Amino acid sequence: MSVGCSADMAAPLPPSGWQPSPPAQPPYGWQPPGPPPPPPTPQLPGCYRHPDRQAGVVCQRCDRPICPQCMHQASVGFHCPECANRGRQRVYSGTAAIQAGPRPIATYVLIGINVAVFVLGLLLSLDRVGEALFGGNDRLLTDGGLIARFRFEDGLVHPVGIGQGEWYRLVTSGFLQYGLVHLALNMYALYVLGTVLERGIGRARFVTVYFVSMLVGSFGALLLRPDALTAGASGAIFGLMGAFLAIQWVQGVPIRQSPVIGVLLLNLVITVSLPGISIGGHLGGLAGDFVSGYLLTMLPARLDRGRARPARGLSQGDLLAMGASALIGLGAAAAAMVIYG
């Protein structure tokens, strides 16, 4: 009888005394590989003022790279020298507040023109100089004051004004005053506001806002009282207060905290309370220069962002803002000539 074999056969055993061989040893000096090296650090660009020096940070205002020598500590981050100089604030008191900064030449010139025109009007009206000194009409007021189409005098109608092609009255009326008291009050206000504003925004922009408010104020005066003979620099002066409010508002100063808001409100109350005051001229100048002051501050801040401003002169943003502001004044003058021409 045959014997069957099992399907699973036992594995053969190693010979007696056998031991496994030791693992292979690494070559002498071998070390296990370490972690991969970090990626190379990107090189910062050179300083915009010192290209041979590596920049450490960028300016928080204009985003230009600056080296440690050019860093100026700011409330947040660092500023470059130009931005630090523009943002530096100084506080003056007493007479130093008037003497700080460049001399306001344009303000002095405007005051001089107004005084010279007043004296000229007295010389041309020697037959009634007393009346001209204390608020009466002199010859220059009659020939250069603001009026739309007609002047009523001695029961007669005289065809004069913007409607007769005398467009120059839009400007000349801003340099004429009703008497010595009117001249003194307006020139004092122009001196106080003009010296501060001209030093703050520069001569060219100050002249721009002055003439914009003069033209828009003339348009406002014509809208409310077209056939009344109007004169005075008060429309332009209200405009300077409007520009002052707008510039500070763009810079983050609330209107209610502006140093001119109290004076402005007082003058507005006087404007609507006393007879014989051009409400349209005052409100027109105020509104025109509020918009103009906003443009002159906001547009350069946006258009010149990331660019180096010139140490002297005007930037591209300044020129565009002045052009936009001038269009406001010219548009008001054109509207007056279209409506009353």
Side-chain angles (χ1 to χ4, degrees), residues 35-166:
T41 304
Q43 295 293 322
L44 291 175
C47 173
Y48 82 98
R49 299 180 73 217
H50 308 98
D52 58 328
R53 302 179 187 177
Q54 184 175 348
V57 296
V58 295
C59 175
Q60 291 293 319
R61 285 190 176 179
C62 64
D63 294 332
R64 291 180 295 185
I66 48 179
C67 65
Q69 182 180 347
C70 297
M71 293 179 186
H72 290 259
Q73 182 68 50
S75 57
V76 178
F78 295 91
H79 290 168
C80 66
E82 283 80 4
C83 292
N85 290 333
R86 289 199 302 270
R88 184 176 293 118
Q89 297 181 354
R90 298 180 180 179
V91 178
Y92 299 92
S93 60
T95 57
I98 302 298
Q99 298 171 356
R103 297 184 64 188
I105 302 298
T107 300
Y108 298 155
V109 170
L110 289 171
I111 293 174
I113 293 174
N114 279 272
V115 173
V117 170
F118 182 75
V119 173
L120 179 60
L122 295 178
L123 295 177
L124 294 176
S125 306
L126 292 177
D127 55 336
R128 46 181 177 171
V129 65
E131 180 183 356
L133 272 173
F134 298 102
N137 290 354
D138 59 23
R139 183 173 176 180
L140 284 183
L141 277 169
T142 302
D143 295 338
L146 182 66
I147 196 167
R149 297 190 185 95
F150 307 107
R151 185 179 79 249
F152 300 92
E153 186 176 349
D154 300 329
L156 300 176
V157 178
H158 302 272
V160 296
I162 306 299
Q164 303 300 321
E166 298 173 348

Side-chain angles (χ1 to χ4, degrees), residues 137 147 169 185 240 252 283:
N137 290 354
I147 196 167
R169 291 176 180 265
L185 291 176
L240 296 184
L283 296 182

Side-chain angles (χ1 to χ4, degrees), residues 183-199:
L183 173 71
L185 291 176
N186 281 342
M187 293 306 99
Y188 176 73
L190 176 56
Y191 173 76
V192 173
L193 292 169
T195 52
V196 175
L197 195 58
E198 184 178 350
R199 285 177 173 132

